[in-house]
Amino acid sequence: MKKIGERVAERAFFLSALASSLITVAILVFMVFMGLPLMREGGFYQLLVKPWAPYQGAFGIYPMIVGTACISLLGLAVAFPLSLGCSFLITTIAPKPVSRVFRRLIELMTGIPTVIYGFVGIFLLVPFVRELFQDGSGMCVLTAALVLGIMITPTMTLFFCDSFARIPRSYLDAADALGASPVQKLLYVILPSARKGLLNGVILALGRAVGDTLVALMLAGNSVQVPESVLEPARTLTAHIALVIAADYESPEFRSIFSCGVVLYLFTLVVTFLARYLSFAENKKA
Amino acid sequence: MKKISWIQPLLIISILLLVCAPAFSGSLDPFQGEKGVLKISGGTAHIPVMKDAAKKIMVMNPEIQISIAGGGSGVGIKQVGEGLVAIGNSGRKPTDEEISRYKLVLHKWAIDGVGPVVNPKNPVKALSKSQMKDIFAGKIENWKMLGGEDRKINIYTRDEASGTREVFWKKGLDEGEIIPGAHVVVSNGAMKSAIAQDPYGIGYVSVGHIDATVAPVALDGVVPTIETVQEGTYTIARGLYSNTRGEPSGLTKKFLDFLFTPEGKKIIEEKGFIPVR
Amino acid sequence: MKPRTLEIFSIVFAWIAGLILVSAVLVLLGYLFIKGYTCLNLSLIFGDTPPLRALLFRARVFDGLFPAIAGTLVLVILSIVLAIPIGISTGIYLAEYAGSRIKRALDAFFDVLSGIPSIVIGLFGFSFAVFLHKQYSNRIGPCLLISSIALSLLVLPYIIRTTQAALEGIPSNIRMTALALGATRLQNVFLVLIPRSLSGIMSGIILAIGRCAEDTAVIMLTGAVASAGVPRSVFAQFEALPFYIYYISSQYSDPEELMRGYGASIILLLLCALLFAVAYGIRKGLSHFVFYRP
């Protein structure tokens, strides 16, 4: 009797694992299935490079891809130096009590809801950017990227700290034995050997920046164009989904958001496997 | 004897109250004893009226649950056609194709206009139609060219599902171009708060939504107000429709009927529209 | 002396970076609280309705946050209840039963799942609802239930991961003892391993609750609306705090409504901070893995 119970339980655990992993596949299948009519019409690749002009019958998502790239890469450019500095501070530079408090604060920051960054951004940063540059409306690539950068910094910092902490003890002992100062140790021992870990953190943060919806939706102005400067408005893939979801279910506009979904999904796949590859490589070495 | 002395007046009062009660609620009467859920979505110009009507009805009868979502006219028509909501609002008349495909029944309960608006701080408060077309087409890029400050004009427009956009584009811009660099907002309310925030912005909004936070722009000398729309001098006008799939019944019908009662019309007027009939 | 300059430069750089981040957060929080603290009172939540009547669902609340708070609460409870059984059993399977090959494959799936942008999950939920509506019943559409299902998919990987990590962290001498005494594998899991790792699992669940409470992208696609009242059924549309904040930020119609947006932001922020503190109290150091969210 007991054995049957065991078997049933094991089967149940296995089935739930199977179900959870099938969901991952089901989401992609659904996106492709719903977007298929439009993709078949002109080819998936065509959609990626065509402009968006619903009245002329063009439902390409090229401007959104460019908008996403601009905002997330610029956000990363803001977040990377900040995170590097903060992780230096936590790992070696700040005195122990300061670094502990600082780390707590950063951990707490990871829990601040995204919508609150957007809310404060609209009423604080948008008018500020508008008046600072005396140009445009303040709802632009730059504003969104700044807020996004601040938002992903805490996560990125903690990832960096983790990869610093994974440096083999023996390396650090060797540096100590040679009489290196903490900063020297950081610069010449920890940093070079944590290179892959840093890259991993950057890639995961990029994944988060691309996947974020609210900040871009609330702060980037949502115009469908390829931005020519950072002070111009733009639309991301995620914001595009949020804006067009309301359209007619059978219209090509509506179908096109599934191609956005597919692009985002494929991007996630790339990010995930790149990150997995890097962390395997890092573990092998350690 | 003592007891009766206070019971009697109470009895009289309560009887009086019972007799008078219908006189108090009047237009809301049909909702008594009704219960259920009513889903409304679509046109965003309609929302203030819908909200107020829903509030009055739900205060009177807590058994009724009314949910109101935006989305735009296109969404309203589509969702009511698909049966996702009971009432789909639209700020434009549904096309013949839409009417026949979904067997829509239209209920036009107000007249509204669509007017260009700027921030109250902006000195430019009058434009000719051709100037406005040039602004939205990107040919006039700076407020200086119109006598304002030396700042870029920030253009705000609506998404593709918007009936307000369609009406403005057809009657205001004569189907002219709207540059792709225009900011996109999702509702009349969002347009109003975006223009209220941006001193160098220009957009267009349902006339009913114009208040002190934004300034209407006179078009060829006619200021878009509810009066000029009513007189017919301001021509970018449209009806506000609530659409149902087939003839409405039950709670849906009672809700729509309410919009045509004196109390419903009062709400429509308060929100800045012209009630029909 | 070039190396020296580099060292000094990195020290200065690190302090500046830290300062910028801290001041950015202080500005963010300070702005919110300075602008919003005046509106923190009972009428923010209940409007003109007497609180007690509202709490007993005797009267409806207009111009207050009560329906949004109630909506968020119901939403969170539903999604967590949906996510826990499948999440924990998957975690147990990964940690205790799976062979190394299957485990690697499943790991990859859950990494992808946790990386999918929440708006894509929302889109999935929405199209699923439309699909059900067309195929089965006219009564199904975007609603509280669909939102909860979509949200539970969003937090599923967190629960799986924390369960797995907590179980795998148990030292092998404890793992072996009960087995050596003749307990079956299942008994070992439920009587020894799970109780030992309960704090880890709990902290994962609490952080998942925080994630459900703050998410906006999923619910705005799957049934959150601006005005719906306290949810009466899982097939009804609902209000929620984060969606309310988003909605107010773009469509407030008067300063009073905007103030409620500030109030809602403060309440949501406090709620998330509280959940975070509780989770942190239960178990330290796990947080950013769980809060990593694309």
Side-chain angles (χ1 to χ4, degrees):
Chain A
M1 274 320 267
K2 208 175 245 176
K3 237 183 173 168
I4 293 174
E6 289 284 302
R7 291 254 282 285
V8 168
E10 188 175 341
R11 198 45 71 78
F13 292 148
F14 174 69
L15 283 180
S16 55
L18 196 66
S20 337
S21 50
L22 281 183
I23 287 163
T24 319
V25 183
I27 292 173
L28 180 63
V29 170
F30 229 94
M31 297 288 134
V32 172
F33 177 73
M34 294 290 284
L36 210 55
L38 194 62
M39 291 178 207
R40 209 183 285 150
E41 225 167 73
F44 186 55
Y45 175 74
Q46 277 293 311
L47 277 180
L48 301 188
V49 294
K50 264 200 310 200
W52 173 263
Y55 294 100
Q56 280 100 54
F59 302 97
I61 54 173
Y62 178 67
M64 277 62 95
I65 292 180
V66 176
T68 304
C70 289
I71 291 175
S72 51
L73 288 178
L74 200 60
L76 212 58
V78 172
F80 180 71
L82 277 181
S83 311
L84 204 60
C86 292
S87 57
F88 280 6
L89 209 57
I90 291 174
T91 315
T92 43
I93 292 174
K96 259 268 144 33
V98 177
S99 114
R100 253 229 311 278
V101 171
F102 190 56
R103 196 187 160 106
R104 287 294 150 276
L105 185 73
I106 286 190
E107 281 172 357
L108 195 64
M109 274 184 74
T110 58
I112 298 178
T114 321
V115 69
I116 288 183
Y117 282 103
F119 188 81
V120 176
I122 284 187
F123 297 108
L124 200 64
L125 197 62
V126 166
F128 180 74
V129 167
R130 180 172 61 225
E131 291 314 313
L132 185 67
F133 293 97
Q134 296 280 310
D135 186 26
S137 63
M139 290 209 198
C140 59
V141 173
L142 181 71
T143 313
L146 281 176
V147 174
L148 198 61
I150 295 292
M151 197 176 87
I152 58 177
T153 296
T155 332
M156 208 159 152
T157 305
L158 292 174
F159 269 108
F160 285 180
C161 288
D162 282 347
S163 71
F164 290 163
R166 274 198 300 269
I167 305 295
R169 193 67 238 164
S170 55
Y171 290 21
L172 302 181
D173 291 341
D176 283 338
L178 290 170
S181 72
V183 184
Q184 286 170 333
K185 207 161 62 183
L186 179 74
L187 284 177
Y188 306 120
V189 179
I190 297 181
L191 206 52
S193 38
R195 238 185 2 236
K196 280 220 174 76
L198 289 183
L199 189 60
N200 199 354
V202 171
I203 287 172
L204 288 171
L206 181 67
R208 188 175 166 194
V210 168
D212 173 79
T213 310
L214 265 288
V215 168
L217 182 63
M218 292 166 92
L219 301 174
N222 296 323
S223 70
V224 189
Q225 62 164 2
V226 174
E228 278 166 11
S229 88
V230 291
L231 293 176
E232 280 189 20
R235 187 186 285 192
T236 61
L237 289 166
T238 48
H240 186 65
I241 295 179
L243 287 167
V244 181
I245 189 84
D248 181 340
Y249 308 139
E250 269 134 36
S251 66
E253 282 107 314
F254 185 73
R255 297 287 179 189
S256 85
I257 63 178
F258 290 98
S259 51
C260 292
V262 171
V263 170
L264 286 169
Y265 193 103
L266 294 179
F267 181 77
T268 312
L269 277 184
V270 172
V271 163
T272 311
F273 284 102
L274 213 56
R276 278 173 73 84
Y277 169 75
L278 283 170
S279 59
F280 276 135
E282 203 189 2
N283 285 341
K284 215 181 268 168
K285 190 188 65 192
Chain B
M1 277 319 264
K2 235 183 184 179
K3 260 186 183 168
I4 293 170
S5 65
W6 66 265
I7 283 181
Q8 262 174 344
L10 202 74
L11 221 80
I12 293 167
I13 289 171
S14 48
I15 289 171
L16 271 174
L17 270 177
L18 264 177
V19 173
C20 297
F24 290 143
S25 46
S27 312
L28 288 164
D29 256 8
F31 294 99
Q32 239 148 26
E34 188 73 43
K35 66 175 171 185
V37 178
L38 179 63
K39 287 186 189 173
I40 303 172
S41 79
T44 60
H46 308 54
I47 289 180
V49 173
M50 294 286 139
K51 262 191 167 165
D52 225 41
K55 182 174 170 174
K56 289 221 159 65
I57 293 164
M58 291 196 288
V59 166
M60 210 282 291
N61 183 348
E63 292 294 309
I64 298 173
Q65 180 100 14
I66 301 174
S67 74
I68 300 155
S73 304
V75 177
I77 292 168
K78 184 71 190 183
Q79 291 200 337
V80 74
E82 292 282 343
L84 283 172
V85 295
I87 298 176
N89 293 327
S90 67
R92 61 174 169 86
K93 197 173 176 215
T95 62
D96 292 340
E97 196 251 327
E98 283 166 339
I99 295 174
S100 66
R101 179 153 54 130
Y102 299 126
K103 300 179 187 65
L104 293 182
V105 176
L106 318 187
H107 310 265
K108 179 175 168 184
W109 46 264
I111 311 283
D112 181 25
V114 181
V117 284
V118 292
N119 192 282
K121 283 185 204 144
N122 196 325
V124 183
K125 296 221 166 66
L127 291 170
S128 70
K129 201 168 181 181
S130 69
Q131 277 174 327
M132 191 170 70
K133 276 156 74 176
D134 285 349
I135 292 174
F136 278 89
K139 284 178 198 146
I140 298 178
E141 285 186 317
N142 199 306
W143 285 113
K144 206 169 71 178
M145 296 162 78
L146 301 162
E149 260 186 82
D150 181 17
R151 288 290 287 260
K152 212 175 118 189
I153 299 176
N154 303 319
I155 298 163
Y156 289 80
T157 185
R158 292 277 307 278
D159 52 294
E160 278 89 32
S162 163
T164 310
R165 178 195 207 276
E166 193 155 316
V167 169
F168 186 74
W169 178 63
K170 274 199 180 128
K171 297 187 180 171
L173 301 177
D174 299 333
E175 310 202 355
E177 192 197 356
I178 298 177
I179 53 162
H183 298 65
V184 178
V185 296
V186 293
S187 70
N188 278 292
M191 179 67 88
K192 199 179 75 180
S193 38
I195 297 296
Q197 285 264 319
D198 185 352
Y200 311 104
I202 184 168
Y204 50 87
V205 71
S206 148
V207 168
H209 280 68
I210 296 176
D211 60 16
T213 59
V214 292
V217 178
L219 207 54
D220 289 331
V222 186
V223 183
T225 61
I226 211 65
E227 288 80 26
T228 54
V229 171
Q230 195 155 25
E231 286 164 9
T233 45
Y234 186 78
T235 51
I236 312 177
R238 52 137 174 212
L240 294 183
Y241 296 84
S242 285
N243 309 300
T244 54
R245 186 174 163 177
E247 282 299 331
S249 60
L251 186 56
T252 313
K253 181 168 168 38
K254 285 178 183 170
F255 184 87
L256 290 172
D257 287 346
F258 175 69
L259 294 175
F260 294 96
T261 63
E263 197 157 346
K265 285 186 177 164
K266 212 177 90 199
I267 296 175
I268 295 169
E269 266 169 19
E270 272 170 14
K271 300 296 172 191
F273 304 109
I274 306 155
V276 169
R277 269 171 294 147
Chain C
M1 283 328 270
K2 218 158 176 211
R4 232 21 253 131
T5 341
L6 182 68
E7 282 162 34
I8 291 169
F9 172 75
S10 4
I11 295 177
V12 174
F13 165 71
W15 280 108
I16 290 176
L19 216 63
I20 290 177
L21 190 65
V22 171
S23 45
V25 177
L26 289 184
V27 166
L28 188 120
L29 300 182
Y31 176 78
L32 212 54
F33 278 93
I34 288 169
K35 277 279 213 179
Y37 83 98
T38 47
C39 68
L40 289 178
N41 50 35
L42 270 184
S43 78
L44 169 71
I45 296 174
F46 295 107
D48 310 326
T49 316
L52 197 65
R53 281 175 61 82
L55 283 173
L56 295 171
F57 304 113
R58 286 286 179 70
R60 279 166 191 282
V61 175
F62 298 97
D63 303 330
L65 295 175
F66 182 65
I69 293 173
T72 289
L73 221 60
V74 176
L75 182 70
V76 165
I77 293 170
L78 265 177
S79 352
I80 290 295
V81 165
L82 287 171
I84 281 181
I86 190 161
I88 290 186
S89 25
T90 304
I92 293 174
Y93 181 77
L94 280 180
E96 302 300 324
Y97 290 93
S100 71
R101 260 232 201 85
I102 294 183
K103 193 163 153 180
R104 265 243 295 279
L106 287 179
D107 262 345
F109 277 115
F110 301 138
D111 276 354
V112 173
L113 187 59
S114 71
I116 296 176
S118 57
I119 190 104
V120 176
I121 305 244
L123 183 58
F124 174 69
F126 176 82
S127 33
F128 187 62
V130 171
F131 174 77
L132 287 181
H133 175 86
K134 282 191 176 157
Q135 299 293 322
Y136 299 103
S137 161
N138 263 344
R139 290 190 46 225
I140 302 175
C143 63
L144 190 52
L145 184 66
I146 296 286
S147 278
S148 313
I149 293 174
L151 269 185
S152 70
L153 298 185
L154 192 71
V155 296
L156 191 62
Y158 306 132
I159 295 181
I160 295 175
R161 282 274 174 270
T162 40
T163 307
Q164 186 192 358
L167 286 171
E168 282 175 348
I170 295 172
S172 63
N173 54 352
I174 294 173
R175 186 178 294 275
M176 297 303 172
T177 313
L179 291 176
L181 291 173
T184 64
R185 234 169 145 184
L186 191 63
Q187 286 172 328
N188 193 29
V189 167
F190 278 108
L191 300 176
V192 182
L193 301 180
I194 297 256
R196 281 284 298 195
S197 52
L198 209 56
S199 67
I201 296 174
M202 274 310 290
S203 72
I205 290 172
I206 289 166
L207 291 172
I209 291 176
R211 185 76 186 80
C212 286
E214 72 103 34
D215 182 85
T216 322
V218 170
I219 59 171
M220 67 191 279
L221 264 54
T222 52
V225 291
S227 164
V230 176
R232 295 280 177 96
S233 122
V234 292
F235 294 110
Q237 289 170 316
F238 60 99
E239 293 178 41
L241 268 183
F243 183 77
Y244 185 84
I245 297 169
Y246 165 70
Y247 180 80
I248 289 295
S249 76
S250 69
Q251 354 209 335
Y252 64 95
S253 54
D254 52 56
E256 218 175 296
E257 210 173 17
L258 184 59
M259 282 315 280
R260 280 205 295 279
Y262 281 102
S265 301
I266 294 176
I267 291 179
L268 185 64
L269 196 63
L270 291 178
L271 180 72
C272 287
L274 178 77
L275 286 171
F276 193 89
V278 172
Y280 180 75
I282 292 179
R283 183 176 175 157
K284 299 172 182 181
L286 207 63
S287 54
H288 64 283
F289 283 109
V290 181
F291 257 107
Y292 164 68
R293 39 158 201 236

